[in-house]
Amino acid sequence: MFQGVLTKMQTEFKSPVDYYLVFADSFVHVNSFLEKKVHITRTGSQCLSCSQPNEIFRQGFCKSCFFETPSAGEWIMKPELSKAHLGIEDRDLAYEQKVQLQPHIVYFAVSSGLKVGVTRDTQVPTRWIDQGAHQALPIVEVPNRYLAGITELALKAYFNDKTNWRIMLQNKGEALDLVAERAACIAKLPTEVQPYVVQDPPLSIDFPVARFPEKVKSLNLVKTPEYSGVLTGIKGQYWIFEDDTVWNVRGHEGQVVDLSCS
Ligand SMILES: [Zn+2]
């Protein structure tokens, strides 16, 4: 039996990807649960910022932490709002300088269809694995989050920036020529990021999935605190079960669970 507060699964880029759930005093190699019956019980919640047993509002944080903690600032979801490069504080300038003033990439990923996204260099390929992308390719590598944000904003006029998670989980994404897509999008980039175009090759990611679901039924442990089922795959931050139930682990950050396998 494993017990603890859920955070997103940690991954190792192997073929297929290795997944781990890390708790305070133990960890689970999730791949070892494949083809086995897994029991999940939600027993409570614990905010990832204040550690209080509060109801989780978003991203593993209780409502007051979500609106106060520097790690949930609006510039996280909207990188173009980053202001640390101007010395302007949002919630905590030292934190924002540390996170925003480092190399970021803008990339293409294919998880459902082609999408554009932003991440820190240090999060490659973790970010792509978390999205369930089977192909990905960097477009530009820029020195801060603001430049990545305005690049993404310019490309959003032409490309999607969301993953359709149902299609991603059903493995219905297409195979695309990402190198050709990158060459074709360069003229659409803001002038100030043109010097930062990279030539890295595309990356393919292989997920441990024996059977993709035909329909997709989403498990919400806040509404239904107990579930048992045979795990048939792991893709992105989702567990896929034999009965077409899918469980978004990242969507349950801050929930406290008991986990076992038989
Ligand atoms: Zn809190």
Side-chain angles (χ1 to χ4, degrees):
M1 171 91 88
F2 299 92
Q3 294 180 309
V5 185
L6 288 170
T7 50
K8 79 179 185 96
M9 288 182 283
Q10 304 298 306
T11 57
E12 260 186 81
F13 181 46
K14 291 189 183 165
S15 186
V17 173
D18 261 321
Y19 282 96
Y20 299 90
L21 266 183
V22 180
F23 297 119
D25 50 9
S26 61
F27 72 90
V28 179
H29 179 215
V30 185
N31 303 54
S32 72
F33 281 4
L34 286 165
E35 308 300 332
K36 292 180 183 159
K37 189 158 193 181
V38 179
H39 313 276
I40 312 167
T41 308
R42 174 182 175 270
T43 59
S45 54
Q46 183 181 312
C47 171
L48 298 184
S49 178
C50 67
S51 299
Q52 296 302 305
N54 296 341
E55 190 183 324
I56 301 302
F57 179 66
R58 247 175 245 168
Q59 295 170 27
F61 300 123
C62 70
K63 196 164 186 176
S64 67
C65 287
F66 180 78
F67 288 106
E68 282 164 23
T69 181
S71 55
E74 212 183 349
W75 55 270
I76 305 266
M77 302 304 274
K78 294 186 176 167
E80 69 275 16
L81 300 180
S82 299
K83 293 207 167 70
H85 64 291
L86 302 173
I88 297 174
E89 178 173 86
D90 176 33
R91 294 180 181 182
D92 176 345
L93 187 57
Y95 176 86
E96 287 144 14
Q97 285 173 329
K98 183 164 75 93
V99 179
Q100 294 178 17
L101 304 186
Q102 56 172 291
H104 280 64
I105 65 156
V106 182
Y107 60 85
F108 279 135
V110 190
S111 41
S112 44
L114 184 66
K115 64 155 270 178
V116 60
V118 165
T119 191
R120 282 173 277 161
D121 263 24
T122 54
Q123 291 303 106
V124 168
T126 307
R127 179 82 187 121
W128 301 335
I129 294 171
D130 288 352
Q131 289 176 340
H134 54 268
Q135 286 180 288
L137 176 83
I139 303 166
V140 296
E141 179 185 328
V142 292
N144 64 54
R145 190 167 183 86
Y146 169 75
L147 286 172
I150 61 166
T151 307
E152 185 191 40
L153 203 57
L155 292 176
K156 268 159 73 168
Y158 306 94
F159 302 98
N160 196 356
D161 66 323
K162 302 274 187 303
T163 298
N164 180 324
W165 59 272
R166 287 175 187 272
I167 293 178
M168 180 277 284
L169 287 171
Q170 293 179 308
N171 208 34
K172 289 183 176 164
E174 354 170 26
L176 296 169
D177 183 350
L178 294 185
V179 173
E181 294 285 353
R182 175 171 62 195
C185 84
I186 288 173
K188 301 179 174 92
L189 299 175
T191 319
E192 59 263 62
V193 302
Q194 298 266 355
Y196 298 110
V197 172
V198 292
Q199 297 302 327
D200 303 41
L203 190 75
S204 292
I205 301 171
D206 178 26
F207 295 93
V209 183
R211 179 189 163 277
F212 289 96
E214 285 164 22
K215 292 178 185 171
V216 172
K217 290 181 283 179
S218 188
L219 172 63
N220 179 341
L221 290 177
V222 177
K223 290 184 186 152
T224 311
E226 275 193 66
Y227 174 79
S228 294
V230 176
L231 187 69
T232 55
I234 318 162
K235 190 175 185 198
Q237 282 286 330
Y238 285 82
W239 291 18
I240 300 167
F241 294 93
E242 196 174 45
D243 65 356
D244 288 350
T245 295
V246 298
W247 181 44
N248 179 358
V249 175
R250 189 170 206 174
H252 284 77
E253 282 188 316
Q255 303 300 337
V256 182
V257 293
D258 288 351
L259 264 182
S260 63
C261 157
S262 58

